[in-house]
Amino acid sequence: MAILKRRRRYAAICRSANDSAEKISGLADGLNNKTHTHEAERYEHAAKTAMKIAIKISDDLLRDSAVRQIVDLCLKAND
């Protein structure tokens, strides 16, 4: 049961950070104001937290699925 709880948690984290990832992906001129900096920090924190959770998942398929979602999030942010 703990595995499914972790899966739901990292999935929720990835979904919530999705907007931030999209916003920072299009920043050609860098993080030049507080809003951009906040979005970048939000995205980075979410990605790190989701990875920490995913690493603890013992089921190989669920862990692979979690990592794929995190990779998708990173790609969306051009990270």
Side-chain angles (χ1 to χ4, degrees), residues 1 3 5-7 10-11 13 20 25-26 28-29 31 33 36-37 39-40 42 49 51 53-54 69 71 73 76 78:
M1 196 62 149
I3 293 171
K5 186 177 180 181
R6 285 185 183 138
R7 182 182 183 280
Y10 77 75
I13 290 169
S20 294
S25 71
D29 59 345
L31 302 172
N33 66 34
H36 295 152
T37 302
E39 294 296 340
R42 181 174 178 238
T49 302
M51 185 56 78
I53 294 168
Q69 280 188 309
V71 168
L73 179 68
K76 186 169 281 191
N78 290 330

